[in-house]
Amino acid sequence: SSSKQEDIIAELRAYLHDSFGHPIRIDYGTGHESSFIVFLLSLCKIGCFRWGGANKKENIDNNNNGGGDDKNKSNPPPEVIGLASLSLFHAYLNVTRGLQRDYMLEPAGSHGVWGLDDYHCVPFYLGACQMMAREQWQKDQRAKKRTNDVKVEPEQGTGTDAEAEAANRMPDNPYLPETSSHGADQPTPVDTHLDNDIWLPSIIHDRPVLEAQRSTYLYLSCIYFIQQIKPKVPFFESSPMLNDISQIGGGWSKVSSGLLRLYEGEVLDKMPVVQHFVFGKIFSANWSPSRKTPLEAPKKTFINGPMGEECIAPWASGGDVSAQRAPALTSYPGGMPPTRAPWAK
């Protein structure tokens, strides 16, 4: 119905408008970035990310039903999500970086040099996953060369069947856009894509690689942007956490897992971030709260009396505050009383 469609549009609009910074505080941070993540998730839940032309009628029916039941819709394959994430985040970062430069947006909730980045967290995680996919693609290519399997040519279809099959066929590696245009029997373009080079996390210190591959690899793009906006500051001083990550010996899998834990702990687990989520019909808060009872103020503070007794908080009983003080000391260690502050009574 039209009312359900208006609710879906209003929910999507709220997340999209909150994805580019706060209009009053003129700041931007990981909370606004998370709003864009929820916006993409909502589009995925209503069936916007599909490969080819399959299930169009099913997607339209689910959209008209307010998102429908997740069990009744087939989730898009990981390859489709990978393609959408990389392509959309590249475009999203182009916009947000322009806003950060032109309007000098304040970092919202930034930890300064002790944080991962002034504005972003998710692009680093997605970029590390892209590097993992590159490593896996290299392993697959080396395995093909070792086995020298005889490839059987598939039967060629005719007419619309062949066109539909070609439209629905996934690329060989969706995380590397240039590889989708290569045929299976064509040689790897070593000089143009550097596909045979092994890139460790320390590759971020290679300036020629950053300049040549920043438009393809999201992680390199983020590092290059930091160096552009802080050109006169050594990287180990401007981004000590990213510099430490570049020295990790476990490869990109360890980097990606660590960045995911960082995003969960420093962003998703923070109330100042999630309190701005709309939680409508598409992205609903349908989980059970972890706390059974409401949070109450403590009745007692800490143990600091001379005999180990507890000091009662002034608001706990509502009586005379002076009666709740710990008894005065009659003997002092070393025989010398401590010096009282000038304002003490």
Side-chain angles (χ1 to χ4, degrees):
S1 62
S2 59
S3 60
K4 292 182 178 180
Q5 291 181 355
E6 291 176 357
D7 294 339
I8 294 175
I9 294 174
E11 184 176 350
L12 293 175
R13 184 191 298 115
Y15 285 118
L16 182 61
H17 286 185
D18 200 29
S19 301
F20 301 97
H22 198 278
I24 298 177
R25 296 193 303 265
I26 316 299
D27 62 359
Y28 178 92
T30 52
H32 305 99
E33 176 186 69
S34 300
S35 294
F36 187 71
I37 291 289
V38 178
F39 173 73
L40 296 182
L41 175 62
S42 301
L43 292 180
C44 182
K45 290 174 70 68
I46 64 177
C48 291
F49 297 152
R50 290 291 185 270
W51 185 262
N55 299 331
K56 283 186 176 179
K57 184 178 183 302
E58 179 184 358
N59 297 338
I60 295 175
D61 294 339
N62 288 326
N63 294 345
N64 293 334
N65 292 329
D69 188 3
D70 292 340
K71 297 181 180 179
N72 296 331
K73 303 195 297 293
S74 59
N75 295 324
E79 293 82 0
V80 173
I81 298 178
L83 280 169
S85 301
L86 291 175
S87 59
L88 292 176
F89 250 90
H90 267 295
Y92 173 68
L93 289 177
N94 289 335
V95 177
T96 56
R97 287 169 180 171
L99 295 174
Q100 294 159 15
R101 285 192 306 261
D102 298 342
Y103 294 94
M104 295 181 290
L105 301 182
E106 288 289 334
S110 172
H111 295 287
V113 296
W114 303 114
L116 184 69
D117 182 66
D118 288 339
Y119 299 105
H120 294 285
C121 182
V122 173
F124 293 94
Y125 168 69
L126 295 179
C129 293
Q130 185 184 17
M131 291 295 188
M132 286 178 56
R134 181 181 184 274
E135 289 180 347
Q136 184 61 42
W137 184 82
Q138 288 177 328
K139 293 179 182 179
D140 295 341
Q141 295 301 310
R142 288 193 294 267
K144 289 180 181 179
K145 291 181 180 179
R146 287 195 303 264
T147 55
N148 292 325
D149 293 336
V150 179
K151 299 180 180 179
V152 179
E153 293 294 336
E155 296 182 0
Q156 299 294 334
T158 58
T160 58
D161 294 338
E163 296 177 357
E165 182 179 358
N168 292 324
R169 185 180 66 84
M170 297 300 301
D172 297 333
N173 192 323
Y175 299 96
L176 299 174
E178 295 184 15
T179 61
S180 61
S181 60
H182 304 152
D185 298 329
Q186 294 181 4
T188 303
V190 179
D191 54 343
T192 59
H193 206 290
L194 305 176
D195 279 332
N196 286 343
D197 294 345
I198 298 176
W199 287 352
L200 300 176
S202 59
I203 193 65
I204 65 173
H205 302 291
D206 192 330
R207 185 70 180 184
V209 174
L210 283 180
E211 294 180 350
Q213 304 296 333
R214 61 186 175 89
S215 61
T216 302
Y217 296 96
L218 196 59
Y219 196 91
L220 301 182
S221 173
C222 295
I223 300 297
Y224 182 82
F225 179 73
I226 294 176
Q227 296 181 355
Q228 288 294 108
I229 62 177
K230 302 176 182 179
K232 298 182 180 180
V233 183
F235 187 73
F236 68 90
E237 291 184 1
S238 64
S239 305
M241 182 178 291
L242 289 172
N243 185 71
D244 293 342
I245 291 175
S246 68
Q247 310 301 325
I248 292 179
W252 291 105
S253 60
K254 190 173 183 179
V255 173
S256 64
S257 61
L259 290 174
L260 181 59
R261 291 195 301 269
L262 177 69
Y263 180 68
E264 291 176 348
E266 296 296 329
V267 181
L268 296 183
D269 286 348
K270 301 299 182 182
M271 183 62 181
V273 175
V274 298
Q275 67 180 355
H276 298 292
F277 289 165
V278 178
F279 295 121
K281 294 183 178 179
I282 306 176
F283 184 64
S284 58
N286 53 6
W287 59 83
S288 301
S290 58
R291 186 179 298 277
K292 301 297 183 181
T293 58
L295 185 63
E296 297 181 356
K299 300 299 183 182
K300 298 181 180 180
T301 53
F302 47 85
I303 299 175
N304 67 343
M307 305 303 295
E309 59 267 26
E310 288 182 312
C311 292
I312 301 176
W315 59 83
S317 61
D320 186 11
V321 177
S322 61
Q324 301 167 7
R325 294 176 179 172
L329 291 176
T330 58
S331 61
Y332 305 96
M336 180 179 294
T339 303
R340 297 176 64 85
W343 58 84
K345 300 295 184 181

